[in-house]
């Protein structure tokens, strides 16, 4: 095992151009497939959008029954506002639109209150009339058995024609306006927003990340190496996601989430490899007082530096990737399909990020060669030289980080207790975390489909869907009798009359609250489910889905956490030979994650950062965001743990005392950890700049987790605890020491 990474480094160093060409082809293919697609279907055409569900759960079964019982095709609705339905000649003015819509192939019915006998006075028109009397609905239903192509063509024609209606009515109603809405338009708007947020995140993150790396490395050439790896990783990740959509349903937001992860990890790993290469290269060429950097290319210094880099930093990258993969793989233990999709996609992206760092980046380093040992052009600018010298120095064991470690080591108990106290205070809001599964609320305010849904909820109670729906295998009479019991439950404002849906009956239950996922709706769902019924029934809706999703998380969480914890303990033991360090890592990382979740609750659930981050609070944290953030944040925390421990272990094995190994290890790895953290925070912050609330929550939580881990935990808490434990850091029972001697993962 110890020889694998030097051999890989030697192989890449002897074939750098071939390696670069292979990755160039893969990158172009990845971007091309994601953007152009297979047979005309791009990645964004193939992703799904909808409320996350749990296979086999009551809410999911009920939704499937409703979908299977539908006797009509999809519908498109025009919400007209600023027009009195009783306006004379209004019905005649709508005749051309009615005729044109009815003539569209695939249209089954065109429904509006003015076409009914007696017009708006007909009792059947009530659900189609605005409660304030200043608008009405036009609903177009399609035939149920249209093929996909015919249905898409019909929907497009109907949407286009409905959007023309308000303009045709302005001679009779000058203030009329209209919004066209439909279920598939909500899906399209969310998918389009995902794609736009992805572009926004990349446009914000990549330039700033490049600037940070220029400061870290002192020039553009070295900074370009991790960026090249990042671009290749994004392409590989997008191509992998497209392939994954042919194996399972992939939710649209998964694209952004795993892209963020791949971008951050590839830059992290690239930073580590490039920094170690420059260190190894300086060690080989600086013996001549700087003249070595001008010696001939064939003396083997560059190849030797690549081999040494792969033996150390390459091993660390591979080990880190395994720990991150283990954390993400824990999501596979859960039942919700969205978590399994995130896990599968995340594992693919981690693999691609590690592959670019272990092959593409070393190949580029080989081609750049000794130029990376010279000062960059920026270092010749007055004033900049001093900044770069402090930020990019890789040759000295004394500096800001070793000085910080020395100060921590003078008062380790105070530092440890203070750091723990800060983390506990930050974590306290977790105690009031409210988990949600939001729908249209995820879209930013002001979007067309959010306006459409808001208009229905505000003025068309009869046409809007109830917050809680009961699907009953009963007759209308049985369901009607049971509806009286439902109406008497606490928190129930009203119950809609039972309506047939295929072989089932549907009862709409309207809680005494406008929040479909709030506490009142959740309590109503629990009460309805607890109520005895003389027939089989299924309760569905946003609150029902929240309950089922949360229960599914709670059911499998012990298994997922146990698997991740055991695997992490085993890997860190094989790396360090200690049982103390792995246990300490689990405890500190857990405290760090809880702190980041506490900040997330304070910012998003409590809404304290609504104005700054540009969102409207949904009143909770998206349910699957909790599982995702815990998995990803733990993986990233282990990423930085491995970065630091690899250097400390290396120094300790070479004969340094534990306190010296910690101080020197922090100096040699602290710059990389801090720089990598700064860049990954920029990456996550770039996606906070998007519009979808769920992406904002993920980006914000992970950015906060990285900031907390790279500062409070990695720079203060870990050095303090390792100093306190001293030689006890490396303790293990004798049988385990023998096991480590046999199976250790060594340099």
């Amino acid at each position: 095992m110890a020889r694998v990474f030097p051999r890989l480094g030697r192989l890449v160093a002897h074939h750098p151009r071939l390696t670069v060409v292979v990755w160039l082809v893969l990158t172009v293919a990845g971007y091309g497939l994601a953007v152009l697609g297979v047979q005309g279907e791009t990645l964004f055409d193939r992703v799904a959008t909808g409320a996350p569900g749990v296979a086999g759960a009551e809410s999911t079964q009920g939704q499937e029954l409703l979908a299977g019982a539908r006797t009509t095709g999809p519908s498109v609705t025009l919400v007209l506002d600023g027009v009195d339905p009783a306006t004379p000649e209004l019905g005649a003015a709508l005749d051309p639109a009615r005729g044109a819509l009815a003539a569209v192939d695939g249209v089954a019915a065109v429904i509006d209150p003015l076409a009914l006998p007696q017009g708006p006075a007909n009792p059947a028109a009530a659900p189609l009339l605005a409660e304030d009397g200043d608008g009405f609905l036009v609903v177009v239903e399609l035939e149920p058995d249209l093929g996909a192509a015919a249905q898409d063509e019909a929907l497009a024609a109907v949407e286009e024609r409905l959007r023309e209606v308000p303009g045709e009515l302005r001679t009779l109603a000058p203030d009329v306006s209209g919004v066209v809405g439909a279920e598939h338009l909500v899906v399209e708007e969310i998918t389009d927003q995902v794609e736009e947020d992805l572009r926004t995140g990349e446009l914000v993150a990549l330039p700033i990340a490049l600037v940070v790396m220029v400061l870290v490395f002192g020039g553009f050439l070295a900074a370009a190496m991790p960026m090249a790896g990042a671009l290749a990783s994004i392409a590989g990740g997008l191509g992998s996601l497209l392939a994954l959509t042919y194996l399972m349903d992939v939710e649209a937001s998964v694209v952004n989430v795993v892209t963020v992860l791949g971008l951050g990890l590839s830059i992290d790993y690239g930073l580590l490899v490039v920094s170690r290469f420059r260190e190894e290269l300086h060690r080989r060429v600086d013996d001549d007082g700087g003249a070595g950097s001008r010696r001939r290319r064939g003396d083997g210094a560059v190849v030797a530096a690549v081999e040494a880099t792969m033996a150390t930093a390459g091993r660390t990258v591979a080990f880190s990737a395994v720990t991150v993969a283990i954390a993400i793989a824990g999501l596979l233990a859960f039942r919700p399909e969205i978590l399994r999709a995130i896990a599968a996609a995340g594992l693919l992206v981690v693999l691609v990020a590690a592959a670019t760092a272990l092959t593409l980046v070393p190949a580029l380093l080989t081609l750049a060669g000794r130029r990376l040992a010279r000062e960059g052009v920026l270092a010749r600018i007055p004033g900049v030289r001093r900044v770069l010298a402090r930020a990019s120095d890789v040759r000295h064991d004394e500096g800001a980080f070793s000085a910080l470690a020395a100060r921590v080591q003078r008062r380790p108990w105070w530092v440890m207790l203070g750091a723990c106290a800060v983390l506990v205070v930050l974590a306290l809001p977790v105690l009031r975390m409210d988990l949600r599964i939001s729908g249209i609320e995820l879209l930013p305010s002001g979007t067309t489909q959010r306006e459409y849904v808001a208009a229905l909820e505000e003025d068309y109670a009869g046409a809007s869907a109830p917050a809680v729906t009961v699907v009953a295998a009963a007759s209308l009479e049985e369901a009607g009798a049971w509806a009286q019991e439902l109406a008497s439950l606490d928190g129930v404002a009203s119950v809609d009359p039972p309506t047939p849906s295929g072989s089932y009956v549907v009862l709409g239950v309207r809680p005494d609250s406008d929040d479909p996922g709030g506490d009142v709706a959740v309590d109503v769902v629990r009460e309805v489910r607890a109520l005895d019924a003389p027939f089989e029934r299924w309760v569905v809706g946003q609150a029902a889905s929240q309950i089922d999703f949360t229960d599914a998380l709670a059911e499998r969480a012990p298994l997922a956490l146990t698997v991740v914890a055991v695997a992490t303990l085993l890997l860190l033991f094989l790396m360090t030979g200690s049982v103390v360090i792995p246990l300490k890592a689990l405890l500190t990382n857990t405290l760090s994650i809880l702190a980041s979740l506490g900040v997330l609750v304070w910012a998003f659930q409590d809404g304290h950062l609504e104005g700054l981050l540009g969102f409207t609070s949904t009143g909770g944290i998206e349910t699957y965001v909790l599982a995702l953030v815990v998995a990803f944040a733990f993986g990233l925390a282990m990423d930085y743990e491995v970065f630091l421990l690899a250097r400390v272990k290396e120094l300790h094995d070479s004969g340094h005392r534990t306190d010296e190994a910690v101080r020197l290890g922090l100096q040699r790895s602290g710059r990389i950890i801090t720089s990598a953290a700064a860049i990954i925070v920029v990456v996550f912050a770039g996606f906070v700049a998007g519009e979808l609330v769920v992406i904002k929550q993920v980006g914000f939580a992970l950015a906060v987790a990285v900031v907390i881990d790279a500062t409070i935990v990695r720079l203060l808490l870990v050095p303090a605890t390792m100093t306190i434990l001293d030689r006890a850091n490396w303790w293990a029972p004798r049988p385990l020491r023998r096991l480590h001697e046999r199976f250790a993962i060594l340099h």
Side-chain angles (χ1 to χ4, degrees):
M1 182 70 178
R3 300 175 181 175
V4 170
F5 296 103
R7 287 176 178 173
L8 177 60
R10 191 180 310 118
L11 178 64
V12 171
H14 284 300
H15 304 283
R17 289 182 176 82
L18 176 61
T19 304
V20 172
V21 169
V22 169
W23 272 109
L24 181 61
V25 172
L26 291 175
T27 301
V28 172
Y31 278 119
L33 288 172
V35 175
L36 301 178
V38 178
Q39 296 180 338
E41 280 192 313
T42 69
L43 170 61
F44 294 96
D45 292 331
R46 292 195 54 79
V47 293
T49 300
V54 182
E58 180 178 332
S59 57
T60 304
Q61 291 178 1
Q63 292 288 3
E64 291 171 350
L65 291 174
L66 284 176
R70 287 185 61 172
T71 57
T72 62
S75 63
V76 184
T77 300
L78 170 64
V79 182
L80 288 166
D81 186 46
V83 54
D84 184 352
T87 301
E89 306 301 324
L90 191 60
L94 275 174
D95 281 340
R98 291 192 194 106
L101 290 166
V104 173
D105 288 340
V107 169
V110 180
I111 306 166
D112 70 81
L114 307 184
L116 296 172
Q118 303 174 16
N122 191 320
L128 302 174
L129 298 174
E131 294 177 0
D132 62 3
D134 198 34
F136 61 95
L137 303 180
V138 178
V139 182
V140 180
E141 294 181 349
L142 300 190
E143 296 171 1
D145 299 324
L146 291 176
Q151 180 175 290
D152 290 344
E153 187 175 343
L155 288 172
V158 168
E159 293 158 23
E160 183 179 357
R161 188 62 186 87
L162 284 175
R163 291 190 179 99
E164 297 173 357
V165 171
E168 297 171 351
L169 301 181
R170 286 208 171 90
T171 55
L172 297 174
D175 298 327
V176 67
S177 62
V179 177
V180 176
E183 182 178 339
H184 73 280
L185 291 177
V186 173
V187 172
E188 287 179 11
E189 197 159 270
I190 292 177
T191 305
D192 291 344
Q193 192 64 59
V194 166
E195 191 171 1
E196 183 178 335
D197 285 358
L198 182 60
R199 288 194 298 267
T200 301
E202 292 174 350
L203 288 174
V204 171
L206 292 177
I208 300 178
L210 179 60
V211 171
V212 173
M213 282 189 290
V214 168
L215 292 175
V216 171
F217 293 125
F220 287 103
L221 182 60
M225 309 292 177
M227 290 301 295
L231 292 174
S233 291
I234 293 173
L238 293 176
S240 300
L241 278 173
L242 178 63
L244 191 62
T245 62
Y246 286 91
L247 302 176
M248 62 193 308
D249 291 335
V250 177
E251 213 273 343
S253 60
V254 174
V255 178
N256 285 18
V257 170
V258 298
T259 300
V260 169
L261 179 68
L263 181 58
L265 284 179
S266 60
I267 291 178
D268 271 10
Y269 296 157
L271 271 171
L272 183 64
V273 171
V274 174
S275 181
R276 187 60 183 250
F277 173 79
R278 293 176 74 231
E279 185 179 328
E280 296 292 342
L281 187 61
H282 276 296
R283 189 173 297 163
R284 287 162 175 76
V285 303
D286 283 358
D287 293 338
D288 300 350
S293 62
R294 295 186 293 274
R295 287 182 295 178
R296 71 184 193 280
R297 296 180 59 183
D299 64 4
V302 171
V303 173
V306 170
E307 288 186 38
T309 297
M310 293 296 289
T312 52
R315 167 187 173 275
T316 302
V317 165
F319 194 89
S320 172
V322 171
T323 58
V324 175
I326 287 172
I328 295 173
L331 296 174
L332 291 172
F334 293 104
R335 289 169 54 201
E337 187 73 12
I338 187 172
L339 296 183
R340 292 174 176 269
I342 289 173
L347 291 173
L348 289 172
V349 168
V350 170
L351 176 64
V352 174
T356 59
L358 295 176
T359 55
L360 175 59
V361 173
L364 294 172
L365 292 172
T366 303
L367 294 175
R370 295 175 179 275
R371 283 175 290 176
L372 293 176
R374 306 172 194 164
E375 289 184 341
V377 175
L378 292 177
R380 302 169 191 170
I381 302 175
V384 177
R385 181 187 184 92
R386 181 178 300 176
V387 175
L388 294 180
R390 295 176 66 89
S392 62
D393 180 33
V394 296
R395 286 171 280 187
H396 299 97
D397 287 335
E398 299 298 333
F401 293 102
S402 62
L404 174 62
R407 285 195 291 272
V408 168
Q409 289 174 333
R410 283 196 290 269
R411 294 179 178 82
W413 282 100
W414 285 108
V415 172
M416 183 188 72
L417 293 174
C420 288
V422 171
L423 293 174
V424 168
V425 170
L426 293 176
L428 287 177
V430 171
L431 297 175
R432 62 174 185 273
M433 179 183 288
D434 184 15
L435 296 178
R436 306 289 293 260
I437 292 183
S438 301
I440 196 69
E441 303 95 335
L442 295 178
L443 281 172
S445 300
T447 54
T448 302
Q449 294 309 299
R450 184 144 185 192
E451 287 183 358
Y452 161 72
V453 172
L456 287 182
E457 292 176 347
E458 183 177 351
D459 291 324
Y460 299 91
S464 63
V468 179
T469 301
V470 179
V471 183
S475 65
L476 285 173
E477 293 75 16
E478 291 175 319
W482 193 60
Q484 297 178 11
E485 295 185 55
L486 294 180
S488 66
L489 295 176
D490 291 339
V492 174
S494 64
V495 178
D496 295 347
T499 57
S501 180
S503 57
Y504 299 95
V505 174
V506 176
L507 288 165
V509 182
R510 299 183 183 271
D512 191 14
S513 170
D514 294 332
D515 187 352
D519 292 339
V520 175
V522 168
D523 290 342
V524 167
V525 170
R526 295 192 187 280
E527 287 185 89
V528 173
R529 286 180 171 178
L531 189 65
D532 289 333
F535 44 77
E536 192 173 9
R537 83 285 181 274
W538 299 262
V539 183
V540 303
Q542 182 175 325
S545 296
Q546 286 175 195
I547 293 172
D548 291 341
F549 201 105
T550 304
D551 289 347
L553 287 184
E555 175 190 356
R556 297 290 181 89
L559 172 63
L561 294 175
T562 300
V563 170
V564 171
V566 170
T568 301
L569 289 171
L570 177 61
L571 279 172
L572 286 182
F573 168 74
L574 293 176
M575 176 183 178
T576 63
S578 165
V579 297
V580 176
I581 288 176
L583 287 171
K584 181 178 63 65
L586 281 179
L587 292 174
T588 55
N589 290 349
T590 299
L591 193 54
S592 174
I593 292 169
L594 289 174
S596 64
L597 290 173
V599 177
L600 176 66
V601 170
W602 177 83
F604 280 83
Q605 180 175 310
D606 299 344
H608 289 294
L609 296 185
E610 279 185 330
L612 180 63
L613 301 182
F615 70 94
T616 301
S617 175
T618 62
I621 303 302
E622 295 307 304
T623 307
Y624 67 91
V625 168
L626 171 63
L628 190 153
V629 168
V630 169
F632 282 16
F634 184 83
L636 292 171
M638 290 305 302
D639 195 32
Y640 298 135
E641 182 83 18
V642 169
F643 283 11
L644 177 57
L645 281 179
R647 274 307 178 99
V648 173
K649 173 67 174 171
E650 183 181 341
L651 289 162
H652 183 266
D653 290 347
S654 67
H656 290 276
R657 298 192 317 270
T658 298
D659 58 343
E660 289 179 345
V662 170
R663 182 171 58 82
L664 297 177
L666 189 62
Q667 174 61 30
R668 295 182 184 180
S669 63
R671 184 178 61 88
I672 297 302
I673 291 173
T674 305
S675 303
I679 291 171
I680 207 167
V681 166
V682 167
V683 169
F684 291 144
F687 288 88
V688 175
E691 297 292 343
L692 281 178
V693 175
V694 64
I695 301 301
K696 284 180 178 288
Q697 288 185 5
V698 172
F700 178 83
L702 292 179
V704 170
V706 169
V707 169
I708 290 173
D709 190 85
T711 54
I712 298 175
V713 175
R714 220 52 57 193
L715 300 183
L716 299 176
L717 187 55
V718 170
T721 53
M722 292 194 77
T723 300
I724 291 170
L725 291 169
D726 197 20
R727 286 182 295 179
N729 282 291
W730 313 104
W731 179 84
R734 185 172 298 174
L736 289 182
R737 286 202 300 270
R738 288 197 295 267
L739 184 67
H740 178 260
E741 290 170 1
R742 184 174 181 182
F743 297 106
I745 303 175
L746 301 172
H747 291 293

